[in-house]
């Protein structure tokens, strides 16, 4: 059935049937090990989810995301991908994004959604303003969504210092937030080592996050040996 022929009530049954056909028990076990505590994992591979999301995005995507269920990890993942692939600007997608982002409950859905939702490329300032409340959210994965958007799309000459300042202002002491902060700092250093070095020398990040940033820098294949050596010397 073509997704364009579906009405709002049909979407969930169609999606469940597609996911059931694509699920692999062994891949479910593998994914579950990567996402401890996450329930409802069916075991559908990411490229197949992306194909399905593109199909849904070509149809009445607003009807789909408005009525989509959260019965499985993959169903939540699909919603984020559809919001990325669907045509429309921030103004058109804003209310749907605001409804979706609180549903994120693990790093995989967060990071895959961020990789697909690319509104920052065409509307950088408007989307920055949209992200600001999430960086101050009490929700671990809402903050991570904001941070991963920054490191994916804002590490450039125009926004570098704003990214670093935003990363430093996040104060939640949770693992997936701290790891995203470290990841963001490492990307800034990788792309702009000289400009990021003063921040690496003097920042108010907790020791765990600071040292994780340095670890990611030293593991990067895109940082020079000299750059890695300098970073190693700044471990706390």
């Amino acid at each position: 059935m073509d997704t364009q022929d579906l009405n709002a009530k049909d979407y969930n049954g169609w999606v469940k049937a597609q996911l059931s056909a694509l699920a692999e028990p062994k891949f479910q076990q593998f994914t579950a090990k990567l996402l401890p505590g996450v329930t409802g994992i069916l075991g559908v591979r990411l490229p197949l989810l992306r194909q399905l999301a593109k199909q849904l995005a070509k149809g009445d995507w607003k009807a789909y995301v408005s009525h989509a269920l959260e019965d499985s990890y993959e169903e939540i993942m699909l919603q984020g991908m559809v919001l990325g692939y669907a045509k429309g600007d921030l103004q058109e997608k804003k209310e749907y994004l605001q409804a979706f982002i609180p549903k994120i409950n693990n790093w995989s859905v967060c990071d895959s959604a961020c990789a697909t939702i690319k509104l920052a490329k065409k509307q950088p300032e408007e989307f920055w303003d949209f992200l600001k409340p999430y960086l101050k959210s009490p929700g671990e994965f809402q903050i991570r969504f904001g941070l991963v958007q920054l490191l994916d799309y804002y590490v450039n000459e125009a926004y570098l210092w704003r990214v670093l300042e935003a990363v430093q202002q996040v104060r939640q002491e949770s693992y997936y937030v701290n790891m995203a902060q470290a990841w963001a700092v490492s990307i800034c250093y990788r792309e702009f080592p000289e400009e990021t070095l003063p921040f690496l020398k003097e920042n108010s990040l907790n020791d765990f996050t600071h040292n994780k940033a340095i670890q990611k820098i030293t593991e990067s294949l895109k940082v020079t040996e000299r750059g890695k050596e300098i970073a190693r010397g700044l471990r706390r």
Side-chain angles (χ1 to χ4, degrees), residues 86-119:
K87 292 182 179 179
D89 59 13
L90 174 59
Q91 288 67 35
E92 191 169 1
K93 295 182 179 182
K94 186 175 182 178
E95 66 178 280
Y96 302 98
L97 286 168
Q98 289 171 331
F100 165 72
I101 293 170
K103 298 179 183 180
I104 301 172
N105 64 0
N106 62 79
W107 65 265
S108 182
V109 168
C110 175
D111 298 0
S112 294
C114 287
T116 315
I117 298 168
K118 301 179 180 181
L119 291 167

PDB file of all heavy atoms in Angstrom, residues 86-119:
ATOM      1  N   ALA A  86      10.601  14.945   6.113  1.00  0.00           N
ATOM      2  CA  ALA A  86       9.431  15.635   5.565  1.00  0.00           C
ATOM      3  C   ALA A  86       9.794  17.041   5.084  1.00  0.00           C
ATOM      4  O   ALA A  86      10.660  17.710   5.657  1.00  0.00           O
ATOM      5  CB  ALA A  86       8.335  15.718   6.623  1.00  0.00           C
ATOM      6  N   LYS A  87       9.117  17.480   4.039  1.00  0.00           N
ATOM      7  CA  LYS A  87       9.331  18.833   3.542  1.00  0.00           C
ATOM      8  C   LYS A  87       8.659  19.823   4.476  1.00  0.00           C
ATOM      9  O   LYS A  87       7.593  19.561   5.025  1.00  0.00           O
ATOM     10  CB  LYS A  87       8.749  18.967   2.132  1.00  0.00           C
ATOM     11  CG  LYS A  87       9.500  18.163   1.077  1.00  0.00           C
ATOM     12  CD  LYS A  87       8.912  18.378  -0.298  1.00  0.00           C
ATOM     13  CE  LYS A  87       9.685  17.583  -1.350  1.00  0.00           C
ATOM     14  NZ  LYS A  87       9.117  17.767  -2.704  1.00  0.00           N
ATOM     15  N   GLY A  88       9.311  20.967   4.664  1.00  0.00           N
ATOM     16  CA  GLY A  88       8.743  21.986   5.539  1.00  0.00           C
ATOM     17  C   GLY A  88       9.826  22.699   6.330  1.00  0.00           C
ATOM     18  O   GLY A  88      10.892  22.137   6.594  1.00  0.00           O
ATOM     19  N   ASP A  89       9.558  23.932   6.713  1.00  0.00           N
ATOM     20  CA  ASP A  89      10.531  24.703   7.490  1.00  0.00           C
ATOM     21  C   ASP A  89      10.222  24.588   8.974  1.00  0.00           C
ATOM     22  O   ASP A  89       9.319  23.853   9.390  1.00  0.00           O
ATOM     23  CB  ASP A  89      10.544  26.164   7.037  1.00  0.00           C
ATOM     24  CG  ASP A  89       9.177  26.843   7.195  1.00  0.00           C
ATOM     25  OD1 ASP A  89       8.292  26.275   7.884  1.00  0.00           O
ATOM     26  OD2 ASP A  89       8.996  27.939   6.640  1.00  0.00           O
ATOM     27  N   LEU A  90      10.988  25.305   9.784  1.00  0.00           N
ATOM     28  CA  LEU A  90      10.826  25.230  11.234  1.00  0.00           C
ATOM     29  C   LEU A  90       9.414  25.639  11.652  1.00  0.00           C
ATOM     30  O   LEU A  90       8.821  24.998  12.523  1.00  0.00           O
ATOM     31  CB  LEU A  90      11.855  26.125  11.932  1.00  0.00           C
ATOM     32  CG  LEU A  90      11.713  26.267  13.454  1.00  0.00           C
ATOM     33  CD1 LEU A  90      11.812  24.910  14.140  1.00  0.00           C
ATOM     34  CD2 LEU A  90      12.761  27.222  14.006  1.00  0.00           C
ATOM     35  N   GLN A  91       8.892  26.674  11.035  1.00  0.00           N
ATOM     36  CA  GLN A  91       7.572  27.149  11.414  1.00  0.00           C
ATOM     37  C   GLN A  91       6.519  26.057  11.203  1.00  0.00           C
ATOM     38  O   GLN A  91       5.604  25.891  12.007  1.00  0.00           O
ATOM     39  CB  GLN A  91       7.214  28.402  10.607  1.00  0.00           C
ATOM     40  CG  GLN A  91       7.987  29.655  11.021  1.00  0.00           C
ATOM     41  CD  GLN A  91       9.483  29.582  10.722  1.00  0.00           C
ATOM     42  OE1 GLN A  91       9.896  29.006   9.722  1.00  0.00           O
ATOM     43  NE2 GLN A  91      10.288  30.160  11.606  1.00  0.00           N
ATOM     44  N   GLU A  92       6.662  25.297  10.124  1.00  0.00           N
ATOM     45  CA  GLU A  92       5.698  24.249   9.811  1.00  0.00           C
ATOM     46  C   GLU A  92       5.861  23.035  10.729  1.00  0.00           C
ATOM     47  O   GLU A  92       4.893  22.345  11.046  1.00  0.00           O
ATOM     48  CB  GLU A  92       5.849  23.830   8.350  1.00  0.00           C
ATOM     49  CG  GLU A  92       4.734  22.939   7.850  1.00  0.00           C
ATOM     50  CD  GLU A  92       4.754  22.754   6.345  1.00  0.00           C
ATOM     51  OE1 GLU A  92       5.652  23.310   5.679  1.00  0.00           O
ATOM     52  OE2 GLU A  92       3.863  22.047   5.846  1.00  0.00           O
ATOM     53  N   LYS A  93       7.088  22.775  11.150  1.00  0.00           N
ATOM     54  CA  LYS A  93       7.369  21.566  11.934  1.00  0.00           C
ATOM     55  C   LYS A  93       7.439  21.805  13.441  1.00  0.00           C
ATOM     56  O   LYS A  93       7.503  20.853  14.219  1.00  0.00           O
ATOM     57  CB  LYS A  93       8.703  20.951  11.480  1.00  0.00           C
ATOM     58  CG  LYS A  93       8.702  20.445  10.052  1.00  0.00           C
ATOM     59  CD  LYS A  93      10.038  19.800   9.700  1.00  0.00           C
ATOM     60  CE  LYS A  93      10.052  19.264   8.285  1.00  0.00           C
ATOM     61  NZ  LYS A  93      11.340  18.599   7.958  1.00  0.00           N
ATOM     62  N   LYS A  94       7.441  23.061  13.843  1.00  0.00           N
ATOM     63  CA  LYS A  94       7.742  23.398  15.239  1.00  0.00           C
ATOM     64  C   LYS A  94       6.870  22.656  16.243  1.00  0.00           C
ATOM     65  O   LYS A  94       7.379  22.043  17.199  1.00  0.00           O
ATOM     66  CB  LYS A  94       7.596  24.908  15.438  1.00  0.00           C
ATOM     67  CG  LYS A  94       8.031  25.387  16.820  1.00  0.00           C
ATOM     68  CD  LYS A  94       7.987  26.911  16.903  1.00  0.00           C
ATOM     69  CE  LYS A  94       8.455  27.394  18.259  1.00  0.00           C
ATOM     70  NZ  LYS A  94       8.461  28.881  18.333  1.00  0.00           N
ATOM     71  N   GLU A  95       5.547  22.691  16.075  1.00  0.00           N
ATOM     72  CA  GLU A  95       4.674  22.058  17.067  1.00  0.00           C
ATOM     73  C   GLU A  95       4.861  20.549  17.105  1.00  0.00           C
ATOM     74  O   GLU A  95       4.735  19.917  18.163  1.00  0.00           O
ATOM     75  CB  GLU A  95       3.207  22.393  16.798  1.00  0.00           C
ATOM     76  CG  GLU A  95       2.646  21.823  15.515  1.00  0.00           C
ATOM     77  CD  GLU A  95       1.176  22.154  15.342  1.00  0.00           C
ATOM     78  OE1 GLU A  95       0.337  21.470  15.960  1.00  0.00           O
ATOM     79  OE2 GLU A  95       0.879  23.095  14.589  1.00  0.00           O
ATOM     80  N   TYR A  96       5.226  19.955  15.971  1.00  0.00           N
ATOM     81  CA  TYR A  96       5.438  18.506  15.918  1.00  0.00           C
ATOM     82  C   TYR A  96       6.761  18.139  16.588  1.00  0.00           C
ATOM     83  O   TYR A  96       6.862  17.113  17.257  1.00  0.00           O
ATOM     84  CB  TYR A  96       5.399  18.030  14.471  1.00  0.00           C
ATOM     85  CG  TYR A  96       4.096  18.359  13.791  1.00  0.00           C
ATOM     86  CD1 TYR A  96       3.982  19.480  12.967  1.00  0.00           C
ATOM     87  CD2 TYR A  96       2.959  17.576  13.988  1.00  0.00           C
ATOM     88  CE1 TYR A  96       2.780  19.807  12.353  1.00  0.00           C
ATOM     89  CE2 TYR A  96       1.753  17.890  13.379  1.00  0.00           C
ATOM     90  CZ  TYR A  96       1.665  19.011  12.572  1.00  0.00           C
ATOM     91  OH  TYR A  96       0.470  19.329  11.972  1.00  0.00           O
ATOM     92  N   LEU A  97       7.775  18.991  16.411  1.00  0.00           N
ATOM     93  CA  LEU A  97       9.045  18.785  17.104  1.00  0.00           C
ATOM     94  C   LEU A  97       8.868  18.913  18.613  1.00  0.00           C
ATOM     95  O   LEU A  97       9.413  18.127  19.384  1.00  0.00           O
ATOM     96  CB  LEU A  97      10.081  19.800  16.613  1.00  0.00           C
ATOM     97  CG  LEU A  97      10.660  19.578  15.224  1.00  0.00           C
ATOM     98  CD1 LEU A  97      11.429  20.818  14.774  1.00  0.00           C
ATOM     99  CD2 LEU A  97      11.574  18.363  15.204  1.00  0.00           C
ATOM    100  N   GLN A  98       8.091  19.895  19.020  1.00  0.00           N
ATOM    101  CA  GLN A  98       7.866  20.105  20.448  1.00  0.00           C
ATOM    102  C   GLN A  98       7.134  18.923  21.078  1.00  0.00           C
ATOM    103  O   GLN A  98       7.331  18.635  22.268  1.00  0.00           O
ATOM    104  CB  GLN A  98       7.070  21.397  20.656  1.00  0.00           C
ATOM    105  CG  GLN A  98       7.880  22.654  20.363  1.00  0.00           C
ATOM    106  CD  GLN A  98       7.048  23.920  20.363  1.00  0.00           C
ATOM    107  OE1 GLN A  98       5.854  23.894  20.046  1.00  0.00           O
ATOM    108  NE2 GLN A  98       7.662  25.037  20.727  1.00  0.00           N
ATOM    109  N   ALA A  99       6.311  18.256  20.290  1.00  0.00           N
ATOM    110  CA  ALA A  99       5.624  17.070  20.796  1.00  0.00           C
ATOM    111  C   ALA A  99       6.531  15.845  20.789  1.00  0.00           C
ATOM    112  O   ALA A  99       6.416  14.973  21.656  1.00  0.00           O
ATOM    113  CB  ALA A  99       4.379  16.793  19.953  1.00  0.00           C
ATOM    114  N   PHE A 100       7.453  15.797  19.826  1.00  0.00           N
ATOM    115  CA  PHE A 100       8.330  14.626  19.696  1.00  0.00           C
ATOM    116  C   PHE A 100       9.483  14.625  20.689  1.00  0.00           C
ATOM    117  O   PHE A 100       9.784  13.594  21.303  1.00  0.00           O
ATOM    118  CB  PHE A 100       8.897  14.550  18.273  1.00  0.00           C
ATOM    119  CG  PHE A 100      10.070  13.617  18.151  1.00  0.00           C
ATOM    120  CD1 PHE A 100       9.898  12.238  18.220  1.00  0.00           C
ATOM    121  CD2 PHE A 100      11.363  14.117  17.996  1.00  0.00           C
ATOM    122  CE1 PHE A 100      10.971  11.374  18.137  1.00  0.00           C
ATOM    123  CE2 PHE A 100      12.450  13.253  17.909  1.00  0.00           C
ATOM    124  CZ  PHE A 100      12.249  11.883  17.975  1.00  0.00           C
ATOM    125  N   ILE A 101      10.157  15.723  20.864  1.00  0.00           N
ATOM    126  CA  ILE A 101      11.404  15.757  21.637  1.00  0.00           C
ATOM    127  C   ILE A 101      11.249  15.190  23.057  1.00  0.00           C
ATOM    128  O   ILE A 101      12.121  14.445  23.519  1.00  0.00           O
ATOM    129  CB  ILE A 101      11.997  17.185  21.639  1.00  0.00           C
ATOM    130  CG1 ILE A 101      12.458  17.548  20.217  1.00  0.00           C
ATOM    131  CG2 ILE A 101      13.172  17.298  22.612  1.00  0.00           C
ATOM    132  CD1 ILE A 101      12.843  19.007  20.021  1.00  0.00           C
ATOM    133  N   PRO A 102      10.159  15.463  23.776  1.00  0.00           N
ATOM    134  CA  PRO A 102      10.015  14.855  25.113  1.00  0.00           C
ATOM    135  C   PRO A 102       9.876  13.330  25.089  1.00  0.00           C
ATOM    136  O   PRO A 102      10.018  12.692  26.140  1.00  0.00           O
ATOM    137  CB  PRO A 102       8.736  15.513  25.656  1.00  0.00           C
ATOM    138  CG  PRO A 102       8.618  16.800  24.907  1.00  0.00           C
ATOM    139  CD  PRO A 102       9.120  16.482  23.534  1.00  0.00           C
ATOM    140  N   LYS A 103       9.597  12.748  23.930  1.00  0.00           N
ATOM    141  CA  LYS A 103       9.477  11.294  23.834  1.00  0.00           C
ATOM    142  C   LYS A 103      10.843  10.607  23.793  1.00  0.00           C
ATOM    143  O   LYS A 103      10.937   9.397  24.003  1.00  0.00           O
ATOM    144  CB  LYS A 103       8.706  10.904  22.571  1.00  0.00           C
ATOM    145  CG  LYS A 103       7.281  11.413  22.518  1.00  0.00           C
ATOM    146  CD  LYS A 103       6.610  10.999  21.212  1.00  0.00           C
ATOM    147  CE  LYS A 103       5.209  11.562  21.092  1.00  0.00           C
ATOM    148  NZ  LYS A 103       4.566  11.157  19.813  1.00  0.00           N
ATOM    149  N   ILE A 104      11.897  11.362  23.510  1.00  0.00           N
ATOM    150  CA  ILE A 104      13.229  10.779  23.394  1.00  0.00           C
ATOM    151  C   ILE A 104      13.676  10.261  24.760  1.00  0.00           C
ATOM    152  O   ILE A 104      13.720  11.014  25.734  1.00  0.00           O
ATOM    153  CB  ILE A 104      14.247  11.815  22.872  1.00  0.00           C
ATOM    154  CG1 ILE A 104      13.820  12.337  21.495  1.00  0.00           C
ATOM    155  CG2 ILE A 104      15.641  11.211  22.797  1.00  0.00           C
ATOM    156  CD1 ILE A 104      14.671  13.499  20.995  1.00  0.00           C
ATOM    157  N   ASN A 105      14.016   8.983  24.832  1.00  0.00           N
ATOM    158  CA  ASN A 105      14.408   8.404  26.129  1.00  0.00           C
ATOM    159  C   ASN A 105      15.697   7.589  26.055  1.00  0.00           C
ATOM    160  O   ASN A 105      15.987   6.804  26.956  1.00  0.00           O
ATOM    161  CB  ASN A 105      13.272   7.553  26.693  1.00  0.00           C
ATOM    162  CG  ASN A 105      12.955   6.347  25.818  1.00  0.00           C
ATOM    163  OD1 ASN A 105      13.580   6.132  24.774  1.00  0.00           O
ATOM    164  ND2 ASN A 105      11.978   5.558  26.231  1.00  0.00           N
ATOM    165  N   ASN A 106      16.473   7.781  24.974  1.00  0.00           N
ATOM    166  CA  ASN A 106      17.767   7.106  24.884  1.00  0.00           C
ATOM    167  C   ASN A 106      18.644   7.822  23.871  1.00  0.00           C
ATOM    168  O   ASN A 106      18.159   8.593  23.031  1.00  0.00           O
ATOM    169  CB  ASN A 106      17.591   5.624  24.526  1.00  0.00           C
ATOM    170  CG  ASN A 106      16.937   5.424  23.170  1.00  0.00           C
ATOM    171  OD1 ASN A 106      17.586   5.533  22.133  1.00  0.00           O
ATOM    172  ND2 ASN A 106      15.635   5.141  23.168  1.00  0.00           N
ATOM    173  N   TRP A 107      19.942   7.544  23.941  1.00  0.00           N
ATOM    174  CA  TRP A 107      20.897   8.256  23.082  1.00  0.00           C
ATOM    175  C   TRP A 107      20.720   7.901  21.608  1.00  0.00           C
ATOM    176  O   TRP A 107      20.989   8.732  20.725  1.00  0.00           O
ATOM    177  CB  TRP A 107      22.337   7.952  23.521  1.00  0.00           C
ATOM    178  CG  TRP A 107      22.754   6.514  23.348  1.00  0.00           C
ATOM    179  CD1 TRP A 107      22.716   5.526  24.284  1.00  0.00           C
ATOM    180  CD2 TRP A 107      23.253   5.891  22.154  1.00  0.00           C
ATOM    181  NE1 TRP A 107      23.151   4.335  23.760  1.00  0.00           N
ATOM    182  CE2 TRP A 107      23.492   4.532  22.447  1.00  0.00           C
ATOM    183  CE3 TRP A 107      23.521   6.350  20.867  1.00  0.00           C
ATOM    184  CZ2 TRP A 107      23.985   3.629  21.501  1.00  0.00           C
ATOM    185  CZ3 TRP A 107      24.005   5.459  19.912  1.00  0.00           C
ATOM    186  CH2 TRP A 107      24.237   4.112  20.243  1.00  0.00           C
ATOM    187  N   SER A 108      20.280   6.701  21.308  1.00  0.00           N
ATOM    188  CA  SER A 108      20.176   6.278  19.918  1.00  0.00           C
ATOM    189  C   SER A 108      19.077   7.032  19.177  1.00  0.00           C
ATOM    190  O   SER A 108      19.300   7.541  18.070  1.00  0.00           O
ATOM    191  CB  SER A 108      19.914   4.770  19.856  1.00  0.00           C
ATOM    192  OG  SER A 108      19.847   4.328  18.513  1.00  0.00           O
ATOM    193  N   VAL A 109      17.897   7.129  19.777  1.00  0.00           N
ATOM    194  CA  VAL A 109      16.826   7.908  19.161  1.00  0.00           C
ATOM    195  C   VAL A 109      17.244   9.362  19.048  1.00  0.00           C
ATOM    196  O   VAL A 109      17.036  10.015  18.015  1.00  0.00           O
ATOM    197  CB  VAL A 109      15.522   7.780  19.981  1.00  0.00           C
ATOM    198  CG1 VAL A 109      14.488   8.809  19.523  1.00  0.00           C
ATOM    199  CG2 VAL A 109      14.940   6.379  19.837  1.00  0.00           C
ATOM    200  N   CYS A 110      17.864   9.888  20.092  1.00  0.00           N
ATOM    201  CA  CYS A 110      18.314  11.280  20.093  1.00  0.00           C
ATOM    202  C   CYS A 110      19.268  11.562  18.939  1.00  0.00           C
ATOM    203  O   CYS A 110      19.049  12.468  18.137  1.00  0.00           O
ATOM    204  CB  CYS A 110      18.998  11.598  21.419  1.00  0.00           C
ATOM    205  SG  CYS A 110      19.714  13.252  21.495  1.00  0.00           S
ATOM    206  N   ASP A 111      20.323  10.770  18.842  1.00  0.00           N
ATOM    207  CA  ASP A 111      21.378  11.061  17.879  1.00  0.00           C
ATOM    208  C   ASP A 111      20.920  10.793  16.444  1.00  0.00           C
ATOM    209  O   ASP A 111      21.311  11.511  15.514  1.00  0.00           O
ATOM    210  CB  ASP A 111      22.627  10.252  18.205  1.00  0.00           C
ATOM    211  CG  ASP A 111      23.201  10.611  19.579  1.00  0.00           C
ATOM    212  OD1 ASP A 111      22.617  11.479  20.268  1.00  0.00           O
ATOM    213  OD2 ASP A 111      24.215  10.016  19.976  1.00  0.00           O
ATOM    214  N   SER A 112      20.087   9.780  16.252  1.00  0.00           N
ATOM    215  CA  SER A 112      19.565   9.499  14.914  1.00  0.00           C
ATOM    216  C   SER A 112      18.602  10.590  14.472  1.00  0.00           C
ATOM    217  O   SER A 112      18.594  10.983  13.297  1.00  0.00           O
ATOM    218  CB  SER A 112      18.868   8.137  14.891  1.00  0.00           C
ATOM    219  OG  SER A 112      19.790   7.097  15.113  1.00  0.00           O
ATOM    220  N   ALA A 113      17.785  11.080  15.392  1.00  0.00           N
ATOM    221  CA  ALA A 113      16.889  12.186  15.063  1.00  0.00           C
ATOM    222  C   ALA A 113      17.685  13.425  14.686  1.00  0.00           C
ATOM    223  O   ALA A 113      17.383  14.102  13.693  1.00  0.00           O
ATOM    224  CB  ALA A 113      15.968  12.487  16.240  1.00  0.00           C
ATOM    225  N   CYS A 114      18.724  13.717  15.461  1.00  0.00           N
ATOM    226  CA  CYS A 114      19.551  14.892  15.174  1.00  0.00           C
ATOM    227  C   CYS A 114      20.234  14.785  13.811  1.00  0.00           C
ATOM    228  O   CYS A 114      20.361  15.782  13.083  1.00  0.00           O
ATOM    229  CB  CYS A 114      20.594  15.087  16.267  1.00  0.00           C
ATOM    230  SG  CYS A 114      19.919  15.696  17.826  1.00  0.00           S
ATOM    231  N   ALA A 115      20.662  13.596  13.459  1.00  0.00           N
ATOM    232  CA  ALA A 115      21.321  13.398  12.165  1.00  0.00           C
ATOM    233  C   ALA A 115      20.363  13.609  11.003  1.00  0.00           C
ATOM    234  O   ALA A 115      20.792  13.891   9.876  1.00  0.00           O
ATOM    235  CB  ALA A 115      21.913  11.991  12.099  1.00  0.00           C
ATOM    236  N   THR A 116      19.063  13.493  11.269  1.00  0.00           N
ATOM    237  CA  THR A 116      18.053  13.598  10.221  1.00  0.00           C
ATOM    238  C   THR A 116      17.382  14.961  10.194  1.00  0.00           C
ATOM    239  O   THR A 116      17.022  15.460   9.126  1.00  0.00           O
ATOM    240  CB  THR A 116      16.975  12.502  10.428  1.00  0.00           C
ATOM    241  OG1 THR A 116      17.609  11.262  10.721  1.00  0.00           O
ATOM    242  CG2 THR A 116      16.143  12.327   9.168  1.00  0.00           C
ATOM    243  N   ILE A 117      17.196  15.573  11.355  1.00  0.00           N
ATOM    244  CA  ILE A 117      16.545  16.889  11.449  1.00  0.00           C
ATOM    245  C   ILE A 117      17.605  17.960  11.215  1.00  0.00           C
ATOM    246  O   ILE A 117      18.408  18.270  12.097  1.00  0.00           O
ATOM    247  CB  ILE A 117      15.870  17.057  12.825  1.00  0.00           C
ATOM    248  CG1 ILE A 117      14.773  16.006  12.999  1.00  0.00           C
ATOM    249  CG2 ILE A 117      15.293  18.468  12.975  1.00  0.00           C
ATOM    250  CD1 ILE A 117      14.244  15.885  14.421  1.00  0.00           C
ATOM    251  N   LYS A 118      17.604  18.527  10.012  1.00  0.00           N
ATOM    252  CA  LYS A 118      18.674  19.427   9.589  1.00  0.00           C
ATOM    253  C   LYS A 118      18.188  20.856   9.371  1.00  0.00           C
ATOM    254  O   LYS A 118      18.716  21.581   8.533  1.00  0.00           O
ATOM    255  CB  LYS A 118      19.318  18.887   8.310  1.00  0.00           C
ATOM    256  CG  LYS A 118      19.897  17.482   8.472  1.00  0.00           C
ATOM    257  CD  LYS A 118      20.501  16.957   7.187  1.00  0.00           C
ATOM    258  CE  LYS A 118      21.069  15.557   7.379  1.00  0.00           C
ATOM    259  NZ  LYS A 118      21.692  15.028   6.147  1.00  0.00           N
ATOM    260  N   LEU A 119      17.216  21.262  10.128  1.00  0.00           N
ATOM    261  CA  LEU A 119      16.666  22.609   9.971  1.00  0.00           C
ATOM    262  C   LEU A 119      17.703  23.693  10.248  1.00  0.00           C
ATOM    263  O   LEU A 119      17.600  24.802   9.731  1.00  0.00           O
ATOM    264  CB  LEU A 119      15.464  22.785  10.909  1.00  0.00           C
ATOM    265  CG  LEU A 119      14.227  21.959  10.538  1.00  0.00           C
ATOM    266  CD1 LEU A 119      13.234  21.956  11.691  1.00  0.00           C
ATOM    267  CD2 LEU A 119      13.579  22.495   9.276  1.00  0.00           C
TER     268      LEU A 119
END
